[in-house]
Amino acid sequence: MKLFDSHAHLDDEKFNKDREAVIEEISKEVDKFISAGYSLAGSEFATELAKKYDFIYATCGISPNDIPQNEEELWIMVRKIKELVQKNSKVVAIGEIGLDYYCNKENKELQKTAFIAQIKLANELDLPIVIHTREAVMDTIEILKQNPVKNKGVFHCCPLNRELIKEALKMQFYISFAGPITFKNSKNANEIIQMVPNDKILIETDSPYLSPEPLRGKRNDPRNVKYIAQKVAEVKKLSIDEIAEITNKNASTVFKVTNHH
């Protein structure tokens, strides 16, 4: 079974004590995974991991929760992200980028500026984007409509919001599901999973956060992507092997990942 975890944060300090050992274990169960950057430091770390391990790829970007407090610093940071991407062939997307009005309400305009700047960077570097959106659905969609993304991309850990999924699919984006679809209190997960056609679906862990059932509350890692695959398989009435194959193919397509690095 070839599982592709499209979004994990192996740079997180929760892995500081045993990162190498965990990656060794992951390699036995997971075909590939993407170490997702969300800050300059996180992006640098992701590229280091991707250099070191064949089956790891990286994304680089500044998330809405990690943008600096003023525009001047933001532009410096975006420039550094650009340099980082140009130096590393295993960077497969600009991300995670987007809007988060749950954590930060007072800098909405700066968040929008950062999002648009990094969409432009992705277009310039011919890469897709990885989108983080939380309690900012309408603004996220609005920005994507006004700033078309050449290589599309992925709504990571996509909120289970019908309107968002409808609009995202219209714009040809991929939808990535994470642990929350397995949670007992996730009311409309089945309906939302059904909404996403098989050729647009990805799976991810968002490690070390959001451990799926039956591991809620524990540290998450890419091996647990099988639980997400299992849930999607149940809803789509397919086997877990079929879902692994479908989502691996989709992730390889959107991120232009080939097997011969």
Side-chain angles (χ1 to χ4, degrees), residues 144-212:
L144 291 169
K145 282 182 174 166
Q146 289 172 2
N147 302 272
V149 187
K150 201 163 59 180
N151 293 290
K152 304 304 175 188
V154 180
F155 276 84
H156 113 83
C157 190
C158 194
L160 303 181
N161 174 307
R162 288 180 199 85
E163 200 48 39
L164 175 63
I165 304 268
K166 261 204 326 247
E167 293 295 332
L169 289 170
K170 251 189 236 161
M171 291 187 277
Q172 312 249 284
F173 280 85
Y174 289 74
I175 305 295
S176 181
F177 292 115
I181 63 166
T182 68
F183 297 172
K184 307 255 189 301
N185 60 354
S186 164
K187 299 280 180 285
N188 59 347
N190 293 17
E191 179 204 346
I192 296 281
I193 293 166
Q194 290 287 24
M195 278 179 78
V196 181
N198 291 354
D199 63 351
K200 281 288 184 250
I201 204 162
L202 301 184
I203 51 176
E204 64 168 278
T205 56
D206 204 14
S207 311
Y209 318 105
L210 299 175
S211 281

Side-chain angles (χ1 to χ4, degrees), residues 82-95:
K82 179 179 176 177
E83 288 161 9
L84 191 58
V85 176
Q86 287 172 322
K87 282 206 305 264
N88 291 283
S89 63
K90 283 182 83 184
V91 175
V92 294
I94 298 296

Side-chain angles (χ1 to χ4, degrees), residues 221-234:
D221 76 54
R223 286 173 291 183
N224 298 332
V225 77
K226 58 179 176 278
Y227 295 108
I228 325 284
Q230 183 60 57
K231 170 70 180 178
V232 173
E234 282 161 23

Side-chain angles (χ1 to χ4, degrees), residues 34-222:
I34 291 179
S35 194
Y38 50 86
S39 62
L40 190 55
S43 298
E44 282 166 351
F45 202 109
T47 62
E48 290 307 315
L49 280 179
K51 267 187 217 152
K52 194 167 172 185
Y53 299 95
D54 236 16
F55 75 116
I56 302 179
Y57 295 82
T59 71
C60 295
I62 313 295
S63 93
N65 300 322
D66 295 273
I67 59 171
Q69 286 321 296
N70 65 64
E71 223 173 291
E72 205 175 323
E73 278 172 55
L74 174 66
W75 294 116
I76 294 170
M77 218 175 257
V78 171
R79 202 166 61 239
K80 286 184 173 160
I81 290 287
K82 179 179 176 177
E83 288 161 9
L84 191 58
V85 176
Q86 287 172 322
K87 282 206 305 264
N88 291 283
S89 63
K90 283 182 83 184
V91 175
V92 294
I94 298 296
E96 58 186 273
I97 61 176
L99 304 174
D100 191 325
Y101 298 167
Y102 174 80
C103 295
N104 297 293
K105 286 188 177 63
E106 59 298 324
N107 65 348
K108 287 181 180 177
E109 289 312 309
L110 197 58
Q111 286 189 42
K112 289 177 188 173
T113 302
F115 189 19
I116 294 166
Q118 292 180 95
I119 288 174
K120 289 184 173 146
L121 179 61
N123 285 342
E124 186 188 335
L125 298 172
D126 208 25
L127 290 171
I129 63 172
V130 174
I131 302 162
H132 169 111
T133 180
R134 195 165 179 202
E135 300 200 358
V137 168
M138 295 329 287
D139 282 359
T140 302
I141 291 166
E142 196 52 39
I143 284 176
L144 291 169
K145 282 182 174 166
Q146 289 172 2
N147 302 272
V149 187
K150 201 163 59 180
N151 293 290
K152 304 304 175 188
V154 180
F155 276 84
H156 113 83
C157 190
C158 194
L160 303 181
N161 174 307
R162 288 180 199 85
E163 200 48 39
L164 175 63
I165 304 268
K166 261 204 326 247
E167 293 295 332
L169 289 170
K170 251 189 236 161
M171 291 187 277
Q172 312 249 284
F173 280 85
Y174 289 74
I175 305 295
S176 181
F177 292 115
I181 63 166
T182 68
F183 297 172
K184 307 255 189 301
N185 60 354
S186 164
K187 299 280 180 285
N188 59 347
N190 293 17
E191 179 204 346
I192 296 281
I193 293 166
Q194 290 287 24
M195 278 179 78
V196 181
N198 291 354
D199 63 351
K200 281 288 184 250
I201 204 162
L202 301 184
I203 51 176
E204 64 168 278
T205 56
D206 204 14
S207 311
Y209 318 105
L210 299 175
S211 281
E213 300 285 1
L215 304 165
R216 275 189 90 169
K218 299 194 168 74
R219 179 183 76 175
N220 200 5
D221 76 54

